[in-house]
Amino acid sequence: MPLPTAERPNPIRVNDRWFLLIGIPVLALLVLLPRGILHVRSVPIFLLNWVISIGFTCAFWLTGRALWIGLFRRFPRVEQTTRRLWLLASINTLITAAVTLVLGSIAGLLQGGHLSWSTFWYEFGLNMVPTVVVQLIYESWNFFRQWAENVRRAEQLQSAGVQSQLEALQSQLDPHFLFNSLNTLSALIEPENEPAQQFVEQLSDVYRYVLLARDRATVPLSEELAFVETYLALHKARFRDNLRVAQQIPAAALVQHVAPLSIQLLVENALKHNVASREHPLKLRLTADLAAGYFTVENTLRPRTAGLAPGTGTGLRNVRHRYELLGAPQPVEVSTAAGWFRVRLPLLLAQ
């Protein structure tokens, strides 16, 4: 199987050239209105005040923009929005107050007086206008960007679901028909033939889970592992001691969610593409790490030299794509080390 490179989240790119070119001059003019700019009769004085206002507005805008980008990179998730907004409001208020105090004190000294509290609060209020407007612009831009991404992700999930249903319709055996046939076969088996009875019941459980899970975005880890255990029991009847499975799953991890059938696909790939013999038993390890936020499937890497064609990596690509569509907080990781093939699936929240 080819080893895809680990994906990393793309850094935020803010395409705000038109905001800067249009917004700064307009906002600079608006903040001059309360200062009586309309009563200025001289065009040169009007332009001079506008240019000065543009300079201050540009400074406030770029400072607020840099602060927003920095905090967004630090707190990018939706559940962190409230914290990010509080920090933005607090830091921007302190910066605006400090700038107003410094500039007002300098202006007062140049005019032979001092900055009164009434003047300070008036100027502080005016200076907060560009600060608030800038933050509203970037937060609104981020809101619509996330909304567009959610719509795109929902459409892709819907498209993937439709494609899956079409593939099911195109299959030669309807899963419902096969599931019902297995139940009928179970009733026909002699009661004393317990191994055969158990095998058919386990196979029926596998198809029951497939039918129930295919319309769900995520499933609890406990359900997926119960299904994988039944799936492995079927293969144990074939491989016996040539297949050895070890699990280390903390109880607290069982309430986390995964994409349905994703762990089963990794187990199936391990069984399909690796040797499992008495001399070289296939070892599987299933572990969960809550601190890292990953569920790991590992198997001894000993590819088959005959029989099945080499893997194309399609299954792994599909798993990675499904987790991307589900908005996984971390990418699917694939690696090999010391004769082991390892895939780490990010644990998800319920959807």
Side-chain angles (χ1 to χ4, degrees):
M1 278 177 280
L3 303 180
T5 55
E7 297 181 5
R8 299 187 181 277
N10 293 325
I12 181 172
R13 294 184 177 91
V14 182
N15 186 12
D16 58 351
R17 179 184 303 175
W18 288 108
F19 282 157
L20 297 174
L21 293 177
I22 298 176
I24 291 177
V26 172
L27 189 57
L29 183 60
L30 291 177
V31 297
L32 285 177
L33 294 178
R35 294 183 169 95
I37 191 65
L38 295 179
H39 299 292
V40 175
R41 301 301 179 184
S42 172
V43 174
I45 295 178
F46 172 85
L47 293 177
L48 177 61
N49 281 275
W50 191 20
V51 170
I52 294 174
S53 181
I54 286 176
F56 282 109
T57 303
C58 185
F60 279 116
W61 190 301
L62 295 180
T63 300
R65 177 183 183 274
L67 177 63
W68 182 85
I69 292 176
L71 287 176
F72 185 84
R73 287 173 176 167
R74 179 68 179 84
F75 307 105
R77 296 197 299 272
V78 174
E79 61 269 22
Q80 296 174 321
T81 301
T82 302
R83 185 177 182 183
R84 186 178 70 247
L85 290 178
W86 275 110
L87 285 172
L88 276 172
S90 302
I91 298 174
N92 276 322
T93 301
L94 291 174
I95 292 175
T96 304
V99 172
T100 302
L101 181 62
V102 171
L103 294 180
S105 299
I106 294 174
L109 291 174
L110 292 176
Q111 295 173 4
H114 65 279
L115 178 65
S116 64
W117 279 110
S118 58
T119 303
F120 168 78
W121 287 116
Y122 179 74
E123 292 295 328
F124 172 72
L126 293 179
N127 289 336
M128 281 297 295
V129 172
T131 300
V132 173
V133 169
V134 168
Q135 300 312 315
L136 285 176
I137 287 174
Y138 287 104
E139 279 297 328
S140 299
W141 169 83
N142 178 57
F143 171 80
F144 284 108
R145 182 183 64 85
Q146 290 183 332
W147 172 78
E149 288 183 356
N150 289 336
V151 170
R152 178 182 57 82
R153 186 180 297 123
E155 290 176 348
Q156 289 180 332
L157 280 172
Q158 183 178 13
S159 175
V162 171
Q163 182 64 30
S164 176
Q165 292 175 12
L166 287 175
E167 291 174 357
L169 289 174
Q170 293 169 354
S171 62
Q172 294 181 353
L173 285 178
D174 180 9
H176 285 284
F177 169 76
L178 184 56
F179 176 68
N180 293 331
S181 298
L182 289 172
N183 288 335
T184 303
L185 178 61
S186 177
L188 295 175
I189 294 176
E190 295 294 334
E192 60 271 13
N193 193 345
E194 292 186 5
Q197 186 80 28
Q198 184 180 13
F199 186 88
V200 172
E201 289 177 357
Q202 289 173 335
L203 190 57
S204 178
D205 289 340
V206 165
Y207 275 92
R208 180 187 294 111
Y209 181 82
V210 172
L211 290 173
L212 293 176
R214 65 180 182 177
D215 295 326
R216 298 165 65 182
T218 65
V219 294
L221 179 60
S222 57
E223 292 186 15
E224 180 79 358
L225 288 178
F227 164 66
V228 170
E229 185 176 350
T230 302
Y231 179 80
L232 285 171
L234 293 174
H235 286 281
K236 272 284 195 178
R238 170 191 172 193
F239 290 103
R240 301 187 183 278
D241 291 337
N242 298 339
L243 173 61
R244 301 175 185 178
V245 183
Q247 297 189 38
Q248 188 174 356
I249 316 295
L254 296 177
V255 298
Q256 300 292 313
H257 279 232
V258 294
L261 304 175
S262 57
I263 297 177
Q264 179 271 337
L265 174 64
L266 301 180
V267 171
E268 179 182 356
N269 278 350
L271 295 170
K272 184 188 301 183
H273 298 292
N274 292 278
V275 173
S277 63
R278 181 176 302 176
E279 296 78 13
H280 303 290
L282 177 62
K283 298 179 182 178
L284 277 172
R285 288 201 302 235
L286 308 178
T287 59
D289 186 349
L290 277 176
Y294 274 105
F295 183 90
T296 304
V297 178
E298 299 174 288
N299 63 268
T300 46
L301 185 59
R302 192 172 284 108
R304 293 187 182 185
T305 56
L308 293 173
T312 62
T314 302
L316 275 177
R317 284 196 298 271
N318 289 340
V319 169
R320 292 169 66 89
H321 188 53
R322 286 173 64 191
Y323 275 85
E324 289 173 3
L325 295 178
L326 290 169
Q330 305 174 94
V332 174
E333 295 183 356
V334 181
S335 62
T336 56
W340 285 80
F341 183 79
R342 181 179 299 106
V343 181
R344 303 179 75 202
L345 302 175
L347 296 173
L348 306 171
L349 297 175
Q351 298 195 8

